[in-house]
Amino acid sequence: MSAPPIPKLPGYNVCLPQSISDKGFKKGQTLSYVNGYQREDALSVVKDLPERAGGDAGLGASGSPATLSASMLAPDAASKLPQWVENDRKVLRFFGYFKEAVVESNMENHRIRKVILYYYLEDDSMHVAEPRQDNSGIPQGVFIKRHRVTRDDGGFFSPTDFGVGQTVTVYGRTFYLVDADAFTREFLTSKLGKEQPAALPYPDDPVEGYRTAFGMNRGRADDTAAGTLTRRMNDFKAYVEARLGKPSHLLDGDKLRQFLENNKRVLRFWCVWDERNSMYGDRRPYVLHYFLEDDTVEILEINESNSGRDPFPVFLKRGPLPKVAVKTNTTLNPKFRKDQCYGPVDFRLGTYINVLGRDFYLHDCDTFTKTWFKEFLGYSDDELTAVDIKEPIIPKPKAALPPFNGYGTLEDSLQNCLSLVPKPPKRDLHKLMNKDKIILRFVVKMVDTETHKHSGTDLARRFILSYFMMDDSLLIFEPPVRNTGIAGGKFLERQRVYKPRSEEIYTYLDLYVGSTVEIFNRSFELLEADEYTLTYMENYKDIFVMADTDVLVRSLKAQVAGKEDGVRAALIAADKAGAGALGGEDLEAGLLAAGFKFTRHQAISLKRRLDKNKTGTISIEEFLGLLGI
């Protein structure tokens, strides 16, 4: 029987059989000096071991299958490179675990210990390492040192002994392999033709469930249920380190360095606090300052003019702003950790922050704050765009007024509704000063209506209606006439008259010759006006439309289109005297016969405009020329 192959490594000493003990496998020196010059000799070729007999090539000394090494698995049999060169830095890596029994523990009866198995192809050695776990209480690290490990049958481990889903027993301990890295899977598939299954899960560890339930896992402080014990242990750890002499600036970050780097750097935000849902609440603007030098916050009030509030400048004194709920039944100021207080990453435009139970809405920040967020936190321009918080102005609702009961004047009754102690109604001083003594007078008569019929005596009565521009009041006076049996005098006391079934008074726009006004259930028709009234209305024809002859001429031109001959014939027929001129009444009769629509006041104003010589008549040809006929 021939001896198994031996790795050809320098300095690797093994117990060789007697037949090959006289052969040297050391690596010769290749560098030398000849006549003072450096010289490098060629590498000596390591001769292969003699081949085994054909019938016993696959059997060991005891007749069992011989161990396959990495060099024997090489597909290129003609390669002359040694194994340690060809497989240099090629390592197979498997992930697995083994179960360890635990006694006298109320948390677990066994423990799952995760390991990583490394197999080095260059010398067929292997080692097992266990990743370190914080606060495990177990010495972890290299579990089995690197060396060639023998199997239970006496041979050495080879790559064919490993695979995902297999078990490996090393020194009486069984390892379960659940996964392998990408290189290992490729090597076993290409070299050995051994496909590897997908990764298998690790079994549940009882102690992991205990740590999760009681918050002892590191990195779970954000979980409310799991972070309590961790924070308590961290506080105790900081206390012990402080007792042992650790500097205070290292216990809670380097505060001195933070102060020197961020001195006088302040982030400023504009925010609002809306508490209008509560009683006596209001919507108030504030300014929030975040000091980067010590992570403190202060909130200042913005004093608005005529707000009715005392100008208290400080709303929240400078200090750490906690994100958690603050107990109010304690007599001492609680101290919060840094992760329990607001930081720069918590301030975003368009979001709310909780200030001791009050929700403040951040809507804008200054230029330095935007630049700082872009430089250090990588915020975009869209995230730093100001939010429009302007609200539409809601018109103030007006109090509903009761209907007028008819007693007194409307202005007096209105004062009773506006205040508890009525005040005299305000008068228009501009009209009192500029329109004093401007009185429009008209001759009126009573007319019948559908509901009121008058006698012949009443229909024959004539009245003088006076309209006072200074206060929009009316006065009706009846001139005395002999042998009528009616005593003349004041018919209506001067007062402001309201339109029927309305709270609107009569104004100068309602008074013109030909109109009808209803005053206290009696209808009056305006027959004519005095010279002063006609002149005043013509001078202010932009206000008194009925005295604007330009409007009438445009209206007549529009109405005369297509019937010019009929208009000419009607006007000539109205001239009964054949003088070629029309008086006031004849002009109105001719216009009515021609089918024109107008008012008597417009006809009077037109006659006054065309009667430049004050003869009382107007020329028919001149009037037709004005109409473009």
Side-chain angles (χ1 to χ4, degrees):
M1 291 293 181
S2 60
I6 300 174
K8 302 174 183 179
L9 298 177
Y12 194 86
N13 297 326
V14 295
C15 182
L16 300 176
Q18 186 66 27
S19 61
I20 59 176
S21 60
D22 56 343
K23 295 183 179 181
F25 298 98
K26 62 182 180 178
K27 187 174 182 180
Q29 179 64 262
T30 59
L31 300 177
S32 61
Y33 287 87
V34 177
N35 297 328
Y37 295 95
Q38 296 180 355
R39 177 183 176 184
E40 182 179 1
D41 298 333
L43 291 173
S44 59
V45 179
V46 180
K47 298 180 179 179
D48 295 335
L49 294 177
E51 297 182 356
R52 304 174 185 176
D56 299 333
L59 300 176
S62 60
S64 60
T67 304
L68 296 178
S69 64
S71 60
M72 298 175 65
L73 296 175
D76 189 5
S79 175
K80 300 302 180 180
L81 293 176
Q83 177 185 354
W84 63 274
V85 175
E86 183 178 358
N87 296 324
D88 184 29
R89 298 183 182 180
K90 294 183 179 181
V91 183
L92 305 182
R93 185 172 61 169
F94 298 90
F95 303 92
Y97 67 92
F98 68 92
K99 292 184 179 181
E100 184 180 43
V102 178
V103 296
E104 297 181 357
S105 175
N106 60 345
M107 293 186 300
E108 53 183 349
N109 55 10
H110 70 279
R111 183 178 296 124
I112 302 297
R113 300 182 64 175
K114 301 176 182 179
V115 297
I116 302 177
L117 187 147
Y118 298 88
Y119 186 87
Y120 299 86
L121 296 174
E122 62 183 10
D123 57 356
D124 297 324
S125 61
M126 57 181 289
H127 89 277
V128 180
E130 182 180 9
R132 298 183 182 274
Q133 185 180 8
D134 294 338
N135 301 324
S136 64
I138 303 174
Q140 296 173 327
V142 178
F143 191 76
I144 299 177
K145 293 183 178 181
R146 178 180 175 180
H147 65 288
R148 295 191 69 186
V149 182
T150 57
R151 298 193 302 262
D152 293 340
D153 57 359
F156 296 105
F157 279 101
S158 66
T160 58
D161 297 323
F162 305 100
V164 177
Q166 296 182 3
T167 59
V168 179
T169 302
V170 179
Y171 299 132
R173 194 178 297 275
T174 302
F175 297 90
Y176 300 87
L177 305 182
V178 297
D179 196 6
D181 60 5
F183 170 77
T184 304
R185 292 176 179 272
E186 182 182 0
F187 178 85
L188 295 179
T189 302
S190 60
K191 301 295 184 181
L192 302 180
K194 189 176 180 181
E195 293 286 344
Q196 298 299 311
L200 303 176
Y202 288 97
D204 296 333
D205 193 357
V207 74
E208 288 292 332
Y210 179 83
R211 288 175 176 269
T212 302
F214 289 91
M216 298 179 63
N217 283 343
R218 188 174 184 180
R220 297 191 182 184
D222 55 343
D223 190 355
T224 305
T228 305
L229 186 58
T230 303
R231 290 195 296 265
R232 189 181 306 168
M233 295 176 64
N234 291 340
D235 294 341
F236 180 75
K237 179 181 177 181
Y239 169 75
V240 173
E241 290 178 348
R243 289 291 302 270
L244 295 177
K246 189 174 183 179
S248 59
H249 69 278
L250 297 179
L251 291 174
D252 193 15
D254 195 346
K255 293 185 178 180
L256 178 59
R257 181 175 182 177
Q258 179 183 358
F259 175 81
L260 295 177
E261 291 179 352
N262 299 307
N263 186 25
K264 296 183 179 181
R265 290 187 175 184
V266 182
L267 306 181
R268 181 167 60 175
F269 299 89
W270 284 276
C271 52
V272 292
W273 174 31
D274 192 352
E275 54 165 353
R276 288 175 292 186
N277 293 330
S278 60
M279 184 179 294
Y280 308 117
D282 198 0
R283 187 171 183 261
R284 300 281 297 152
Y286 295 89
V287 176
L288 185 146
H289 291 156
Y290 184 88
F291 298 87
L292 296 172
E293 60 187 23
D294 56 357
D295 298 323
T296 56
V297 176
E298 74 172 4
I299 300 178
L300 307 179
E301 289 191 9
I302 298 179
N303 184 27
E304 296 178 322
S305 58
N306 300 325
S307 63
R309 296 176 178 269
D310 293 333
F312 291 108
V314 179
F315 178 81
L316 179 67
K317 188 172 65 174
R318 178 176 175 179
L321 181 60
K323 296 186 290 186
V324 297
V326 180
K327 296 181 180 180
T328 57
N329 57 354
T330 177
T331 58
L332 300 177
N333 294 329
K335 184 177 181 182
F336 299 95
R337 299 187 313 276
K338 189 173 183 179
D339 59 340
Q340 293 180 326
C341 299
Y342 279 100
V345 295
D346 299 318
F347 297 100
R348 288 180 174 270
L349 299 185
T351 60
Y352 288 91
I353 62 170
N354 187 273
V355 180
L356 303 180
R358 301 166 179 84
D359 292 331
F360 278 66
Y361 184 74
L362 305 179
H363 63 87
D364 198 2
C365 59
D366 60 359
T367 305
F368 170 77
T369 305
K370 294 180 180 180
T371 305
W372 191 89
F373 273 110
K374 290 180 182 179
E375 181 179 356
F376 292 94
L377 298 183
Y379 282 16
S380 61
D381 294 334
D382 296 338
E383 294 177 306
L384 298 174
T385 303
V387 181
D388 187 10
I389 61 171
K390 294 182 179 179
E391 295 181 344
I393 300 177
I394 301 176
K396 186 177 180 180
K398 296 182 179 180
L401 299 177
F404 180 52
N405 55 11
Y407 293 96
T409 62
L410 181 62
E411 291 78 6
D412 292 335
S413 301
L414 180 61
Q415 296 303 318
N416 293 318
C417 302
L418 298 180
S419 61
L420 184 61
V421 180
K423 298 179 180 180
K426 294 183 179 180
R427 306 181 68 181
D428 191 346
L429 297 179
H430 177 74
K431 295 175 65 175
L432 292 175
M433 297 296 294
N434 297 301
K435 295 187 179 182
D436 186 22
K437 299 180 181 180
I438 298 178
I439 305 173
L440 306 181
R441 292 182 175 88
F442 300 88
V443 177
V444 300
K445 70 173 182 177
M446 287 186 185
V447 293
D448 293 333
T449 61
E450 296 179 357
T451 58
H452 293 79
K453 301 296 181 180
H454 301 282
S455 64
T457 303
D458 290 336
L459 295 177
R461 300 168 65 182
R462 295 295 180 264
F463 304 88
I464 303 299
L465 186 147
S466 301
Y467 177 80
F468 298 86
M469 296 285 291
M470 60 180 299
D471 56 358
D472 300 322
S473 59
L474 292 176
L475 171 64
I476 299 179
F477 181 81
E478 183 180 9
V481 178
R482 284 184 170 186
N483 300 323
T484 58
I486 300 174
K490 188 180 295 183
F491 183 81
L492 176 68
E493 188 72 30
R494 179 180 173 181
Q495 59 183 299
R496 303 176 74 181
V497 180
Y498 294 91
K499 296 179 181 181
R501 295 169 298 278
S502 174
E503 295 181 357
E504 183 180 356
I505 63 173
Y506 282 108
T507 62
Y508 53 86
L509 299 177
D510 302 314
L511 304 178
Y512 54 89
V513 178
S515 65
T516 303
V517 294
E518 183 178 348
I519 301 175
F520 297 115
N521 298 328
R522 287 179 173 83
S523 297
F524 295 88
E525 181 183 357
L526 280 66
L527 300 178
E528 55 181 308
D530 61 359
E531 183 66 22
Y532 175 82
T533 302
L534 294 175
T535 304
Y536 181 83
M537 295 176 71
E538 291 170 359
N539 292 336
Y540 295 94
K541 59 183 181 180
D542 55 332
I543 300 176
F544 300 94
V545 182
M546 294 302 173
D548 191 353
T549 56
D550 294 334
V551 176
L552 176 61
V553 171
R554 289 195 297 268
S555 176
L556 295 178
K557 286 183 179 180
Q559 298 180 51
V560 81
K563 50 182 179 179
E564 291 82 358
D565 296 338
V567 172
R568 178 184 291 273
L571 293 177
I572 293 174
D575 184 14
K576 298 179 181 180
L582 296 174
E585 296 181 358
D586 295 337
L587 177 62
E588 293 181 18
L591 294 177
L592 291 174
F596 289 110
K597 294 181 180 180
F598 60 96
T599 62
R600 289 188 60 195
H601 197 112
Q602 289 178 322
I604 294 174
S605 299
L606 181 61
K607 183 182 70 68
R608 289 169 55 86
R609 172 183 172 182
L610 298 179
D611 187 12
K612 301 179 181 178
N613 299 326
K614 304 299 179 180
T615 60
T617 60
I618 62 174
S619 174
I620 297 177
E621 294 299 330
E622 183 181 357
F623 179 71
L624 293 176
L626 181 64
L627 297 180
I629 299 176

